Amino acid sequence: MPRKKPFSVKQKKKQLQDKRERKRGLQDGLRSSSNSRSGSRERREEQTDTSDGESVTHHIRRLNQQPSQGLGPRSYDPNRYRLHFERDSREEVERRKRAAREQVLQPVSAELLELDIREVYQPGSVLDFPRRPPWSYEMSKEQLMSQEERSFQEYLGKIHGSYTSEKLSYFEHNLETWRQLWRVLEMSDIVLLITDTRHPVVNFPPALYEYVTGELGLALILVLNKVDLAPPALVVAWKHYFHQHYPQLHIVLFTSFPRDPRTPQDPSSVLKKSRRRGRGWTRALGPEQLLRACEAITAGKVDLSSWREKIARDVAGATWGNGSGEEDEEEDGPAVLVEQQTDSAMEPAGPTRERYKDGVVTIGCVGFPNVGKSSLINGLVGRKVVSVSRTPGHTRYFQTYFLTPSVKLCDCPGLIFPSLLPRQLQVLAGIYPIAQIQEPYTAVGYLATRIPVQVLLHLRHPEAKDPSAEHPWCAWDICEAWAEKRGYKTAKAARNDVYRAANSLLRLAVDGRLSLCFHPPGYSEQKGTWESHPETTELVVLQGRVGPAGDEEEEEEEELSSSCEEEGEEDRDADEEGEGDEDTPTSAPGSGLAARNPYALLGEDEC
């Protein structure tokens, strides 16, 4: 009698799952409702998806997997808008791990912190974004989708044929998400491109600028967001850089959490996170600048007086430190009507549309993940109406919000455009989900060569017997020292958990507590000029006037976990009182009406 082969628990589990699938009749291609990684990994890779071509399917890594809900072709697919990035090869991951252990970190010069947009995106090259192919009303839905899929595969083929994977950055391979951008651009009268002030060149694709201002003929407003995380002189330098290279831009400075830059910052407060009490969203810096820009663009064609009145009410009613919680704030605030547009990107819109239809201006908010698009909408409204998270891909489909009866905001999911940026910089910019990084140590080394991480965190070299002696650091040493300091240990052998420590350091950088800022070309030579610039002084005074001076704040040292369960935790842009897991905020009755302005059903006093 032949000896039986070993049969593991994992194999038994997969056998049972296959048996259940056969009973349910799922062999014909329907998705399984199972959420097990072992049993559904192969099926998930073989799912039919409109964004993957035959040539690149096996190179694509799908992130933020969610369990399927229901069976059948008409059931909702929660993974329709998940992030699709190019997969790193196993050899490349192992090579980077070895380099993190062996390569000694050396500080880079200030000139290497300067980023030129021509080196990142190479205007005029194939580093473009996919355009919606021409269509007509005589085409069926299947013909339209098939045409868009072929066009998208040609777009991917040109990029991967011109550049190797080592040179290319991560960029979106999911056609469904690009369809959301197409729909938002077709709907919008004004386009807001939101960028992170610490590295705005990373978030500014010139191809989108040329398309919006040229082919579409729309006004483009560049929002330099999170100005509280960068020095005021650097913010002003970036503003003039974009004005010089892109004269058609309207530039607005914005932050949802202003602070007084004149207050000295303690480097030892890296581990402390301020928790503000009161109506924080009403103190946003930038809504009035954005209003003035929209007034200049519309030139009186839309009545924006209701928006100006709302800003005046928010400023007058902003009471910090009154002990009121988030619940009271949301109850007292006016209703914000929401239109969910889950499947609108699949429906063709007219090639030409009426501008400012029915006296309403539609403002589309587009940009990369984690630049603060949803937080900007919360800051404009004056309270939380959009859930926010530091996890890229949190906004899955676009929604519209009526700020006032004549102003409609449209929030688009974050999109990553192809570029030649180092992938480590993309990770530090919060573009790639940190919890799903296969090899985080290279990004830690990239960060440590540009800011003194080991000095700011008071780390002790793991091999140092004398604390006063100097030792060469590598990325692995920094992670091991941080794991030792924070007490991160593996479950079985109780060794230092360097992977968890690396993720924790990357989260500190994304949150801005380890602030890495890049400079425009020539900033190092003209730093003194920018620091004494009149606009720098004006920005300092403005932040001090709007910032939370004298407001009630709490600082507490929090546990900086980097395990997968931390993904539900929100970042500095998120509401501190809640998790914000819901994508659909509470809306007033009538929010489902998408054909006309829902405010026509309400009285002026209710607006």
Side-chain angles (χ1 to χ4, degrees):
M1 183 176 179
R3 184 176 180 180
K4 293 183 179 181
K5 295 182 179 180
F7 197 72
S8 65
V9 176
K10 181 182 293 186
Q11 289 173 310
K12 181 65 176 178
K13 191 173 183 180
K14 186 178 186 304
Q15 185 187 61
L16 293 175
Q17 288 171 345
D18 293 339
K19 183 178 179 181
R20 283 196 296 266
E21 286 189 358
R22 286 193 298 270
K23 292 178 66 176
R24 294 171 181 169
L26 296 181
Q27 299 95 331
D28 55 350
L30 297 180
R31 293 179 175 86
S32 171
S33 59
S34 172
N35 192 31
S36 170
R37 288 182 295 178
S38 60
S40 60
R41 184 187 304 271
E42 293 83 5
R43 292 189 301 274
R44 289 202 307 266
E45 296 298 329
E46 295 173 359
Q47 287 177 2
T48 301
D49 197 297
T50 59
S51 65
D52 293 341
E54 297 178 357
S55 59
V56 295
T57 301
H58 63 284
H59 295 300
I60 299 301
R61 187 181 183 205
R62 302 171 179 85
L63 307 181
N64 300 340
Q65 167 73 13
Q66 301 294 327
S68 300
Q69 301 175 3
L71 301 175
R74 293 185 177 272
S75 61
Y76 171 68
D77 180 14
N79 299 308
R80 179 174 171 182
Y81 306 109
R82 60 191 294 205
L83 299 175
H84 289 192
F85 291 152
E86 186 179 7
R87 183 191 302 273
D88 292 326
S89 65
R90 184 173 300 178
E91 295 77 12
E92 178 66 17
V93 172
E94 293 300 326
R95 185 191 64 80
R96 293 201 299 243
K97 284 184 179 180
R98 290 194 300 269
R101 288 175 176 268
E102 301 170 357
Q103 187 174 357
V104 177
L105 302 178
Q106 298 292 341
V108 301
S109 61
E111 288 74 14
L112 292 180
L113 290 176
E114 298 178 355
L115 280 180
D116 191 350
I117 198 168
R118 292 170 294 185
E119 299 176 357
V120 174
Y121 286 99
Q122 293 187 351
S125 65
V126 296
L127 297 177
D128 204 337
F129 72 97
R131 315 293 175 88
R132 193 171 200 172
W135 59 271
S136 64
Y137 285 106
E138 288 74 20
M139 299 173 62
S140 64
K141 181 179 179 179
E142 290 73 18
Q143 290 175 334
L144 178 62
M145 294 182 63
S146 176
Q147 178 176 317
E148 290 176 350
E149 290 167 10
R150 288 195 302 270
S151 176
F152 186 68
Q153 292 308 317
E154 293 175 2
Y155 160 79
L156 292 178
K158 289 181 181 178
I159 294 180
H160 288 289
S162 302
Y163 297 94
T164 61
S165 300
E166 291 74 17
K167 290 185 178 181
L168 277 175
S169 64
Y170 295 115
F171 69 97
E172 185 59 73
H173 286 67
N174 191 348
L175 176 57
E176 295 290 346
T177 312
W178 289 110
R179 283 180 171 136
Q180 299 289 297
L181 174 66
W182 297 343
R183 189 69 180 99
V184 169
L185 294 180
E186 290 172 352
M187 290 177 57
S188 301
D189 302 312
I190 299 174
V191 179
L192 297 188
L193 178 56
I194 297 97
T195 62
D196 192 326
T197 312
R198 294 173 292 177
H199 33 68
V201 167
V202 176
N203 313 127
F204 185 88
L208 182 63
Y209 167 81
E210 298 292 342
Y211 179 72
V212 172
T213 60
E215 296 186 31
L216 297 182
L218 300 178
L220 181 63
I221 300 178
L222 175 64
V223 179
L224 296 178
N225 199 16
K226 304 182 183 180
V227 296
D228 58 307
L229 296 182
L234 181 60
V235 175
V236 175
W238 276 121
K239 178 181 177 181
H240 283 262
Y241 174 82
F242 282 103
H243 265 312
Q244 178 182 358
H245 290 81
Y246 304 97
Q248 299 185 46
L249 281 178
H250 301 261
I251 300 180
V252 172
L253 309 181
F254 200 95
T255 180
S256 299
F257 297 105
R259 63 172 177 82
D260 191 349
R262 295 170 293 188
T263 305
Q265 300 296 312
D266 184 9
S268 63
S269 62
V270 173
L271 302 181
K272 295 186 177 179
K273 191 173 185 178
S274 329
R275 299 190 178 271
R276 300 177 177 87
R277 295 185 179 273
R279 303 177 62 180
W281 294 111
T282 59
R283 303 292 291 185
L285 168 66
E288 190 171 352
Q289 294 185 32
L290 183 58
L291 171 60
R292 290 198 298 265
C294 292
E295 287 177 338
I297 294 170
T298 57
K301 297 178 182 178
V302 179
D303 183 13
L304 299 179
S305 59
S306 58
W307 190 0
R308 184 169 294 280
E309 293 171 0
K310 182 188 183 307
I311 293 177
R313 288 197 305 268
D314 290 342
V315 172
T319 54
W320 281 79
N322 58 1
S324 61
E326 184 73 20
E327 295 180 359
D328 297 336
E329 175 188 344
E330 293 188 358
E331 291 177 0
D332 297 339
V336 177
L337 302 188
V338 183
E339 298 175 359
Q340 296 188 35
Q341 311 286 348
T342 310
D343 294 325
S344 295
M346 306 295 293
E347 302 172 1
T352 59
R353 55 180 295 271
E354 180 184 353
R355 196 72 57 87
Y356 312 126
K357 186 177 181 180
D358 298 329
V360 177
V361 57
T362 302
I363 303 176
C365 302
V366 301
F368 279 60
N370 252 335
V371 295
K373 296 182 297 298
S374 300
S375 297
L376 180 138
I377 291 179
N378 289 336
L380 293 177
V381 174
R383 60 191 178 89
K384 181 182 176 183
V385 295
V386 188
S387 65
V388 289
S389 174
R390 68 178 167 197
T391 304
H394 181 73
T395 304
R396 296 181 181 88
Y397 50 83
F398 77 89
Q399 291 180 326
T400 56
Y401 309 85
F402 274 88
L403 179 63
T404 69
S406 60
V407 180
K408 182 166 66 172
L409 304 175
C410 187
D411 186 18
C412 180
L415 277 160
I416 305 174
F417 291 70
S419 67
L420 300 181
L421 277 172
R423 295 188 176 184
Q424 296 82 6
L425 176 54
Q426 287 189 304
V427 171
L428 294 171
I431 294 175
Y432 197 96
I434 292 178
Q436 303 193 42
I437 297 175
Q438 296 174 282
E439 186 275 311
Y441 316 107
T442 307
V444 172
Y446 188 92
L447 174 68
T449 57
R450 285 152 180 83
I451 60 174
V453 175
Q454 57 270 33
V455 176
L456 292 174
L457 299 179
H458 307 288
L459 299 181
R460 179 177 177 178
H461 198 283
E463 299 179 359
K465 297 181 179 179
D466 183 8
S468 60
E470 294 186 1
H471 293 269
W473 290 82
C474 65
W476 190 274
D477 293 335
I478 293 177
C479 298
E480 191 169 1
W482 181 241
E484 180 68 28
K485 183 170 184 176
R486 299 297 297 174
Y488 297 153
K489 301 294 182 180
T490 58
K492 293 184 178 180
R495 299 188 182 94
N496 288 328
D497 194 342
V498 290
Y499 181 82
R500 182 182 178 189
N503 284 7
S504 176
L505 292 170
L506 296 180
R507 294 186 194 283
L508 289 177
V510 172
D511 290 347
R513 284 180 273 178
L514 286 175
S515 185
L516 173 62
C517 298
F518 286 86
H519 310 151
Y523 179 80
S524 302
E525 300 176 356
Q526 303 176 0
K527 184 177 180 180
T529 304
W530 292 117
E531 290 178 345
S532 59
H533 197 279
E535 292 187 25
T536 303
T537 307
E538 181 182 350
L539 178 59
V540 171
V541 174
L542 182 60
Q543 285 187 283
R545 184 170 68 248
V546 180
D551 301 328
E552 182 181 352
E553 291 190 4
E554 290 184 357
E555 281 193 353
E556 60 181 25
E557 186 171 348
E558 62 175 356
E559 179 67 22
L560 297 172
S561 173
S562 62
S563 57
C564 293
E565 52 266 26
E566 192 192 17
E567 282 301 300
E569 182 185 346
E570 295 175 337
D571 64 337
R572 58 178 291 279
D573 290 329
D575 177 24
E576 298 290 355
E577 300 297 331
E579 288 297 321
D581 291 332
E582 297 296 330
D583 287 305
T584 305
T586 303
S587 57
S591 61
L593 301 176
R596 60 183 183 275
N597 185 350
Y599 267 98
L601 304 178
L602 301 177
E604 285 296 323
D605 294 337
E606 299 181 61
C607 298

